[in-house]
Every structure is written in C-alpha cells, then in structure tokens.
Amino acid sequence: MGEREEDDEEAWLQLRPVEPLPSQCCGAGCSPCVFDLYQQDLARWEAARASKDRSLLGGKESQSCPSKLSPETFLAFRISAMDKLTKDTYRVRFALPRNSQLGLRPGQHLILRGIIDDLEIQRAYTPISPANAEGYFEVLIKYGELLMLAAGTGLAPMVPILHSITDNADDETFITLVGCFKTFEGIYLKAFLQEQARFWNVRIFFVLSQENSPEQLPWSYRDKTHFGRLAQDLIEELVGSCRRKPFALVCGSTEFTKDMARCLLSAGLAEDSYFVF
C-alpha cells in the first residue's frame, strides 16, 4: 500500500461514525433509537468508503434551520428562556424559526441531545407547551444528585432507590453509587449493578479492601474500581465530580457510617445533606 493510499485510508477511518455509549440511549424505547441511527450512519459510511464517494455521507449533520421534525435527524434549536421553578426544576423554552409549530401529536415525545460535563446525553421529553404554540416549545427538566455510599450488605437499601429512579423516565436524578467490598468475588448483585450503570444518569464505582491488582479484574471493572478503603481523598474527588452538590445516602457497619459522616462533612456537605440508614 502506497503512502497516498495509507493517507486515504486514515481519512476514511476518521470519518467512520462513532458508536454511541450506553449512556447516550434514553431507555424509552424510541424508534429509531440512537443505536439504530448509528447503524444507518455506519452502513452509509461503508457504502461511501467502498465506492470512494464522500458525497454519499451527506445528510448526517443536524439542521440549524429546521422546518419540521424528523425521526432520523437531530435538529438544532436555540434556548430562548430558562425559568427556575423549584430548587431542581427548570422550564426551558426553545425557539422555533419563522413562528412555526412543533407539529407533535398529543402523547408524542421528542428526544433532546446535549453535552453535560463533556458527555453527550440524550433524553425523551413530552413538551408542556400548547400543541398550537407558535415560534417556541417548552419542556420541564428536573435535576437532582444522589451520592450513595454502601459497604457490603449496606447495598440493599440502595437497590429500591435505584430502581425507582431508573424505572421512571421522567426522573432526571443523577446517581453516583460507591460499593465497598473486600474482594471482587464478594461484590453483590453484579449483573444488576452493571445493568443500572448503562443508564445515562448512573455512575457506579467499587472499592475493594483486600485486592490491589486491576489486572485481575475484568476489563469492564478496571476503570471504575479503587483499592484499599474509601477514605477522605476519594470522597472529596467523588463530591467534586458531581454536577451539583449531592445529597448523600450512607449504609454499612457502624464504623463505616461514622467514617463516611466525617468524610462528607470535611468534603463540604452539611449534616442535613446526608442520611445514614
């Protein structure tokens, strides 16, 4: 393969669509899903590459001046107003061009996509504005943040809380869960936790006190596992990585809950900002 052919090959690889992360799927059963759109883009890219015709890649970009919604194309809208209704609830108004209407039928929803902390996230919303509203549409977005710290069987009370949030498509609460166990084999509910971590608003980490080698762990656990004890430095890192000051839930042994209460206070959370089971 000559130098020019290698350059052409590299150029095509840079144009290859990027497979979405699990967090980019809203989980609402949309048709098409973000993964369906990825497969369509991938097929278009493969056809264009085979024929060496980049014009076949057209039609992928979002439109900045939309005339109507499309189930296969993201359209760019400008936020014209944002009203804070409660501590964690906002009414967001998006401008439509030329006093046009959104065109959704009652019961239909749309998918909004945006960037939060350098992570692309998308969620399904049902507009709260009148169906015949001209020049705008509005959605209600609720934010919140939970930091769950669980040791051993202390994971148990966190499970129904996780379920209640991820089972509710309208709940926008962000969750960071830290499970503390002695060994990898001793982690409870691995399959359940892996499933929950696929949701866009859930982060799950592990702390193993009797292991110290990431090479012994499956690849999917290496980046989210810490070794030793859950201590002040990691608590501060977790609190600092939250999108807003979280409300913490703590469950474990008496020694664990006392240590976590002390660490949370030192990390800047007041006593009314955490709850010990």
Side-chain angles (χ1 to χ4, degrees):
M1 182 182 291
E3 183 176 342
R4 181 169 182 177
E5 290 178 325
E6 291 179 354
D7 291 342
D8 287 344
E9 181 69 12
E10 180 64 25
W12 277 107
L13 290 176
Q14 291 179 0
L15 292 172
R16 179 187 172 95
V18 178
E19 184 174 2
L21 296 170
S23 60
Q24 293 175 270
C25 176
C26 69
C30 305
S31 181
C33 172
V34 62
F35 289 101
D36 297 327
L37 298 178
Y38 164 71
Q39 291 298 330
Q40 293 172 15
D41 286 346
L42 183 61
R44 184 184 295 113
W45 176 82
E46 290 173 342
R49 183 188 183 193
S51 61
K52 297 184 178 180
D53 183 359
R54 297 192 185 188
S55 67
L56 297 179
L57 296 175
K60 291 172 57 179
E61 298 300 320
S62 298
Q63 303 174 27
S64 59
C65 296
S67 57
K68 62 179 180 179
L69 296 178
S70 166
E72 298 185 358
T73 306
F74 281 98
L75 310 176
F77 295 100
R78 178 177 59 85
I79 295 178
S80 59
M82 181 181 295
D83 299 320
K84 186 174 183 178
L85 303 182
T86 67
K87 180 180 179 181
D88 57 5
T89 304
Y90 294 81
R91 180 176 60 209
V92 183
R93 174 173 290 199
F94 295 86
L96 292 173
R98 300 180 295 277
N99 287 327
S100 58
Q101 296 182 355
L102 193 58
L104 292 182
R105 296 189 298 273
Q108 285 188 309
H109 66 261
L110 50 82
I111 300 174
L112 298 181
R113 180 173 68 180
I115 304 295
I116 298 179
D117 291 346
D118 297 325
L119 178 66
E120 183 180 280
I121 293 176
Q122 62 183 43
R123 290 285 285 160
Y125 292 93
T126 299
I128 61 171
S129 49
N132 60 353
E134 296 182 350
Y136 74 95
F137 68 92
E138 294 178 332
V139 297
L140 203 63
I141 299 178
K142 183 175 182 179
Y143 298 96
E145 187 113 11
L146 285 178
L147 174 60
M148 298 178 171
L149 308 176
T153 56
L155 178 66
M158 309 297 182
V159 171
I161 299 173
L162 267 173
H163 262 309
S164 68
I165 292 172
T166 57
D167 284 350
N168 182 359
D170 295 323
D171 197 324
E172 303 287 345
T173 302
F174 289 95
I175 302 170
T176 299
L177 183 145
V178 183
C180 301
F181 301 91
K182 293 181 179 179
T183 65
F184 175 76
E185 293 300 324
I187 296 176
Y188 300 133
L189 302 175
K190 286 191 185 75
F192 167 76
L193 294 176
Q194 288 284 68
E195 176 187 337
Q196 292 296 301
R198 292 176 62 87
F199 285 91
W200 69 276
N201 53 335
V202 177
R203 301 186 303 166
I204 296 182
F205 300 97
F206 300 97
V207 177
L208 304 180
S209 61
Q210 295 183 5
E211 295 197 25
N212 55 21
S213 175
E215 288 75 18
Q216 302 299 318
L217 302 178
W219 279 103
S220 59
Y221 283 84
R222 294 185 184 183
D223 289 341
K224 55 187 178 183
T225 301
H226 301 263
F227 301 98
R229 298 178 64 85
L230 181 55
Q232 185 67 51
D233 56 345
L234 183 53
I235 291 293
E236 291 182 355
E237 179 182 335
L238 291 166
V239 171
S241 69
C242 290
R243 296 160 179 81
R244 58 193 55 80
K245 184 168 289 188
F247 184 84
L249 301 175
V250 182
C251 190
S253 66
T254 301
E255 180 183 2
F256 177 81
T257 56
K258 286 183 178 179
D259 286 345
M260 293 304 99
R262 175 180 51 79
C263 290
L264 291 169
L265 284 172
S266 298
L269 296 187
E271 290 187 3
D272 60 355
S273 295
Y274 63 87
F275 177 80
V276 176
F277 287 93

